[in-house]
Amino acid sequence: MLERKDEIILRGLKENNLKNIDLTLSKEKITVFTGLSGSGKSSVVFDTLATESRRQMTLNYPHYVRNQMPRYERPHADLMQNLSPVVVVEQRPIGGNSRSTLGTYMDINPLIRLLFSRIGKPSIGSATDFSSQSSFGGCPECGGFGEVIMPDLNKIIDFNQSLREYAVKFKPLSPSGWQGRWMMTGGLFDPDKPIKDYSKDELQLLLYGPPEGEKVYAPFHTKNGPQSHEWDGLLPRFTRLYINRDVSKLKEITQDDVLAVSTHSLCPTCLGSGLNPKVLDCKINGLNIAEYDQLELTDLLDELMNIKDPMGKSVARQAIPPIVQLVEMGLGYLSLSRKMGTLSGGEAQRVKIARHLGSSLNNLTYIFDEPSAGLHPEEVDMVIHMMKKIKAQHNTVIVIEHDLSVIKAADEIIEMGPGAGANGGEVVYQGKLAGLKDSKAATNLNHKLRINKKPRKIEGYFTLKNACNNNLKKISVDLPKNVLVSICGVSGSGKSSLMFGAFTEKYPETIMVGQGSIGISNRSTLATYMGIMDDVRSIFSKATGQPAGLFSFNSLGACAICKGKGVLTPDVAFADPVTVPCEACGGTRYSDEALSYRYQNKNIVEILDLTIDEAMSFFTMPKIIKRVNTLKDVGLGYLTLGQTTSSLSGGEIQRLKLASHLQKEGQIYLLDEPSLGLHAKDNGKLLEVFQTLVNRGNSVIIIEHNLDFIAASDWVVELGPGGGKQGGHILFEGTPEEMVKSETLTAKWLKDGVTEQFFT
């Protein structure tokens, strides 16, 4: 009998842009999916394989348990067989509030608290008592936040203005909010008298409320008549409503407002730890729990290894493996107290990977979405080593990747394409590395770097002196104006601290394009995200005499049956969810009335079906043309105006975000890893955009690991030599041609990628 091969069988895949394709994937191998952004890689790996595996896993649980779990709809496919349980490491930024640290994210903190509760001296109680969020463990001064935030009176109040003239600069307490209107109409204060003219008693009442022990009430006018409310003073009210809570939980604009009118300093009682002084008195081998939190992971490992107490040893043994994973991923310089929100893209990517490597289970399918994202070429080797280690433990590794080093490490390569969007969705190549060279695939394994030998002439500089943000070692640097500048270095070397910290503090007019998400939704389209949908509706409104809301599927124009969703999700009780196109509107989302009106012989749906390229010749309004043109510039001409942001790939989202910033008029553009999620061919289009921006008289500065961008720059600055405390130094400043002849880490990889002719 022939031995049956254990392979993942996928037949008739039709999810998103997939064109009824068939795939067979080998298990216990590393398979890399590559291809242009939007070519269908995620549709196969995430929307089909991962979704179906998760769906089938939930079928093993009783119905009452499944109702509490995420529910997955069966992907559009004819056959999906021999799937394994999946572990998915996506590219999405790590979430978390202002208290989220590396220790909490990796679930190491509970073990450290348990350790101190068992063997710490003097003993103070249970493990929860060592948490800054517990009633006993939290610092009484700062409430466990580690910072004391105080309202800054001179930032909140303009003493030359009256209440009606917006003397209160904090929006929720100004006349634009109900509390500001209450101050003006409650009868306690003269709304038209400048604050500087208030008597001592009036000023005391406004700022601090009535004397201790007294209460003052003022009527607040509602639709039910005046209601009496207690007035407690502007500063006590501000402190109670906007400081004595987790500021990050407030709406974003309010959080910014709070910080703009406050001063915040390290809490003098707990010295930033957020812990009760009694908790800090409890120590293991001379260190308290806050000092454990501050140790670099390599030093923390030594401390845990040195624990001799049998009870403590058993707890430490559980904390050691995840720390070892982080150290092996090159993150030994981090500490447990490091806030997740302050990690660089490359650091966050490796932390996510490390979190999933602690399992001793095997015969799993690990799915990685561009694990090289945000990593210096030197660090990509660690990821490749990690993937091989996972495979060696009898697991299957499936990777979406553009990095040639990762592609070359694969057992099998699958290239999707040939184009993107409607032009993609097919398997262009499947096989070994050697065969890719002779295929029609877009991936070029012999890609050579082109060093910029004719950099632009430098005529001025942006100057930074003694920058010491985060790990920067009082560095001074001159960045040339009106050229393309690359800032490079290993993850955590200080690139973001230098540029998004020190640079933007000195040059606040900088247009910044960070790595944050864009807030994707199935009701948000390219047209709405780029701010032209209102103009399109306005054009229809003027042409037809109908209200603009009639041409929105989120308003008057919505199909009455599906409420503008285009699909229906009927209640199927405990069965798998099912999404069906709305028969009433045929999936268009619009009512028949909305579709009956036309502009230039097209209804609103037909206009939203225009590609970006087609829209360029259809519209005449300068604002629309300009904004659509930025989408074309970043290589998104194949997408339609009505395409939902939720249907875009990572690379497409990256370029959409970039396009929205490029429409702004500015002189300095600062971009954080613009190549994230892009194939080498897409990189070329992006480089053209940057060169055009510079040719128009702008300064373009990019933080980048991608060697194509570094080689094409006019000027390069490298930070390092390591990450964290080992970083923060300037290693190199000069042209790419000069860099190739230097001895830095980036130079090593740059030399590797250029043709031999460069040195002859």
Side-chain angles (χ1 to χ4, degrees):
M1 259 179 88
L2 284 172
E3 187 185 344
R4 184 171 169 270
K5 282 185 79 178
D6 187 11
E7 298 174 316
I8 297 171
I9 297 169
L10 303 169
R11 299 287 182 265
L13 308 191
K14 308 174 190 71
E15 200 68 32
N16 301 326
N17 68 336
L18 299 180
K19 298 190 170 63
N20 200 29
I21 63 171
D22 298 338
L23 280 168
T24 302
L25 308 178
S26 301
K27 288 193 175 180
E28 296 192 33
K29 301 287 184 188
I30 298 174
T31 301
V32 170
F33 279 77
T34 189
L36 301 173
S37 302
S39 59
K41 305 183 296 294
S42 295
S43 297
V44 174
V45 177
F46 290 108
D47 301 333
T48 303
L49 193 154
T51 299
E52 179 62 7
S53 175
R54 286 165 161 171
R55 187 186 76 85
Q56 290 191 25
M57 282 296 293
T58 61
L59 296 179
N60 295 307
Y61 295 95
H63 288 305
Y64 71 89
V65 175
R66 286 163 56 188
N67 281 337
Q68 309 302 316
M69 300 173 71
R71 299 173 70 188
Y72 301 97
E73 186 171 341
R74 189 185 189 279
H76 297 290
D78 298 337
L79 182 69
M80 296 170 281
Q81 277 187 342
N82 304 340
L83 304 182
S84 314
V86 294
V87 175
V88 177
V89 184
E90 292 184 272
Q91 231 191 82
R92 275 202 291 259
I94 295 173
N97 59 29
S98 62
R99 294 186 190 228
S100 181
T101 64
L102 181 64
T104 55
Y105 183 78
M106 292 294 293
D107 288 328
I108 300 169
N109 276 3
L111 293 167
I112 301 296
R113 289 198 290 269
L114 182 63
L115 183 67
F116 270 83
S117 72
R118 293 292 182 268
I119 65 169
K121 300 292 182 221
S123 179
I124 63 163
S126 70
T128 54
D129 288 336
F130 287 87
S131 168
S132 62
Q133 297 181 55
S134 72
S135 56
F136 175 80
C139 170
E141 175 75 17
C142 64
F145 285 101
E147 278 190 339
V148 178
I149 302 177
M150 302 283 290
D152 188 326
L153 187 58
N154 292 317
K155 290 179 181 176
I156 293 179
I157 297 275
D158 183 342
F159 287 86
N160 294 315
Q161 304 288 334
S162 67
L163 290 175
R164 200 184 302 280
E165 293 171 325
Y166 282 69
V168 182
K169 297 301 177 188
F170 183 63
K171 288 179 187 175
L173 298 177
S174 73
S176 61
W178 70 266
Q179 298 179 84
R181 292 194 295 276
W182 175 38
M183 279 189 265
M184 291 196 301
T185 60
L188 293 178
F189 313 107
D190 182 344
D192 297 304
K193 182 160 73 170
I195 307 300
K196 66 180 181 182
D197 295 336
Y198 275 32
S199 69
K200 186 179 177 182
D201 288 345
E202 287 173 329
L203 191 61
Q204 175 72 25
L205 183 62
L206 173 70
L207 298 181
Y208 304 103
E212 194 172 341
E214 295 181 21
K215 291 190 176 181
V216 171
Y217 294 88
F220 176 65
H221 298 277
T222 70
K223 61 182 179 181
N224 300 319
Q227 304 285 326
S228 210
H229 281 285
E230 183 182 349
W231 172 250
D232 51 353
L234 199 63
L235 297 185
R237 177 167 286 263
F238 176 87
T239 302
R240 177 169 56 84
L241 295 178
Y242 302 102
I243 288 182
N244 291 348
R245 61 167 75 182
D246 186 347
V247 181
S248 69
K249 293 284 174 65
L250 298 170
K251 289 182 181 177
E252 192 175 335
I253 187 168
T254 311
Q255 179 179 347
D256 292 340
D257 288 344
V258 169
L259 297 177
V261 295
S262 308
T263 58
H264 35 109
S265 55
L266 207 63
C267 174
T269 303
C270 68
L271 300 177
S273 69
L275 290 166
N276 190 312
K278 291 178 183 175
V279 171
L280 297 176
D281 287 340
C282 179
K283 297 182 178 181
I284 298 174
N285 294 336
L287 297 175
N288 64 32
I289 194 167
E291 289 164 332
Y292 255 56
D293 263 5
Q294 297 289 340
L295 287 174
E296 289 196 354
L297 295 179
T298 47
D299 296 331
L300 178 59
L301 263 183
D302 292 340
E303 284 297 324
L304 293 172
M305 299 275 199
N306 284 334
I307 289 173
K308 302 290 188 276
D309 183 285
M311 172 80 73
K313 216 168 189 175
S314 66
V315 177
R317 201 178 293 126
Q318 297 174 62
I320 286 170
I323 298 172
V324 169
Q325 294 288 4
L326 290 165
V327 172
E328 287 183 353
M329 293 300 290
L331 299 172
Y333 59 86
L334 296 180
S335 67
L336 295 182
S337 63
R338 180 69 178 268
K339 296 279 175 66
M340 293 304 293
T342 66
L343 295 179
S344 71
E347 288 169 333
Q349 186 75 341
R350 282 180 288 167
V351 167
K352 278 190 289 185
I353 292 169
R355 188 184 185 190
H356 290 284
L357 296 184
S359 172
S360 61
L361 299 173
N362 62 10
N363 295 313
L364 302 176
T365 296
Y366 282 81
I367 295 177
F368 294 99
D369 188 8
E370 288 200 63
S372 73
L375 298 186
H376 188 276
E378 188 78 11
E379 298 160 334
V380 175
D381 278 351
M382 294 179 195
V383 173
I384 294 170
H385 174 73
M386 172 272 301
M387 291 193 301
K388 288 180 177 176
K389 187 174 167 185
I390 292 173
K391 182 184 83 165
Q393 293 168 341
H394 302 285
N395 294 299
T396 302
V397 179
I398 295 177
V399 191
I400 292 178
E401 190 53 88
H402 297 294
D403 188 282
L404 285 180
S405 302
V406 180
I407 293 171
K408 289 175 180 178
D411 297 306
E412 186 166 63
I413 299 161
I414 298 173
E415 172 132 356
M416 301 297 295
N423 300 318
E426 297 175 39
V427 177
V428 177
Y429 174 78
Q430 179 174 9
K432 303 283 184 190
L433 183 70
L436 188 65
K437 297 171 186 173
D438 304 319
S439 74
K440 294 179 180 177
T443 302
N444 177 10
L445 294 173
N446 298 316
H447 176 70
K448 294 293 181 184
L449 297 175
R450 297 177 63 183
I451 298 288
N452 179 4
K453 295 186 182 180
K454 294 182 179 177
R456 294 175 175 89
K457 190 179 175 185
I458 297 170
E459 296 178 348
Y461 291 91
F462 299 109
T463 302
L464 295 175
K465 297 284 185 191
N466 298 319
C468 53
N469 303 54
N470 298 327
N471 67 335
L472 299 180
K473 309 291 194 294
K474 289 191 175 179
I475 58 176
S476 299
V477 63
D478 293 326
L479 299 175
K481 294 181 177 179
N482 309 117
V483 301
L484 178 59
V485 177
S486 280
I487 311 292
C488 62
V490 297
S491 303
S493 58
K495 304 182 296 296
S496 296
S497 297
L498 178 67
M499 299 312 303
F500 284 91
F503 186 84
T504 56
E505 286 165 15
K506 185 166 182 185
Y507 302 99
E509 69 274 21
T510 303
I511 293 173
M512 294 175 278
V513 187
Q515 286 183 21
S517 58
I518 66 169
I520 56 177
S521 157
N522 60 3
R523 284 189 177 268
S524 170
T525 63
L526 255 70
T528 52
Y529 185 79
M530 292 300 291
I532 58 174
M533 197 60 213
D534 285 342
D535 299 297
V536 172
R537 287 193 286 265
S538 177
I539 288 170
F540 260 93
S541 180
K542 286 177 184 173
T544 62
Q546 299 300 312
L550 184 63
F551 305 102
S552 167
F553 55 69
N554 292 318
S555 183
L556 300 175
C559 165
I561 304 301
C562 67
K563 304 292 188 283
K565 290 182 179 177
V567 293
L568 296 170
T569 50
D571 183 5
V572 287
F574 49 76
D576 290 332
V578 176
T579 302
V580 294
C582 173
E583 291 185 8
C585 66
T588 66
R589 301 177 172 220
Y590 283 93
S591 65
D592 288 342
E593 184 188 359
L595 296 178
S596 67
Y597 295 100
R598 307 183 84 78
Y599 168 71
Q600 289 190 15
N601 209 31
K602 288 187 186 293
N603 64 27
I604 185 68
V605 168
E606 290 167 336
I607 282 184
L608 290 176
D609 281 342
L610 291 173
T611 65
I612 300 303
D613 290 335
E614 291 166 343
M616 289 289 295
S617 54
F618 182 82
F619 292 104
T620 56
M621 183 186 282
K623 177 186 171 186
I624 294 180
I625 294 290
K626 179 186 173 186
R627 297 196 172 185
V628 167
N629 197 42
T630 60
L631 289 168
K632 185 179 171 70
D633 281 346
V634 296
L636 296 178
Y638 60 89
L639 297 179
T640 64
L641 289 174
Q643 184 140 1
T644 58
T645 54
S646 59
S647 68
L648 300 178
S649 71
E652 288 167 335
I653 288 171
Q654 181 75 351
R655 283 182 288 171
L656 175 60
K657 185 171 60 176
L658 177 59
S660 70
H661 285 84
L662 292 183
Q663 69 194 23
K664 300 172 186 171
E665 296 293 340
Q667 295 296 312
I668 314 168
Y669 291 88
L670 172 61
L671 303 104
D672 194 4
E673 295 192 54
S675 73
L676 272 184
L678 300 186
H679 188 275
K681 286 208 168 180
D682 296 319
N683 285 338
K685 295 172 189 169
L686 207 51
L687 258 174
E688 287 175 20
V689 175
F690 295 156
Q691 302 290 15
T692 302
L693 272 174
V694 174
N695 291 338
R696 288 177 187 160
N698 297 294
S699 300
V700 178
I701 307 171
I702 57 176
I703 295 174
E704 194 50 90
H705 295 295
N706 188 292
L707 296 172
D708 285 306
F709 285 83
I710 294 169
S713 300
D714 300 301
W715 193 259
V716 183
V717 175
E718 181 170 358
L719 280 86
K725 289 178 183 174
Q726 285 80 45
H729 298 278
I730 298 285
L731 302 183
F732 174 82
E733 299 173 78
T735 66
E737 199 168 3
E738 292 166 344
M739 185 176 219
V740 173
K741 295 164 186 169
S742 73
E743 296 299 322
T744 68
L745 263 184
T746 306
K748 170 184 136 184
W749 290 92
L750 211 55
K751 287 172 194 168
D752 225 33
V754 297
T755 56
E756 288 77 19
Q757 286 89 339
F758 180 83
F759 297 102
T760 59

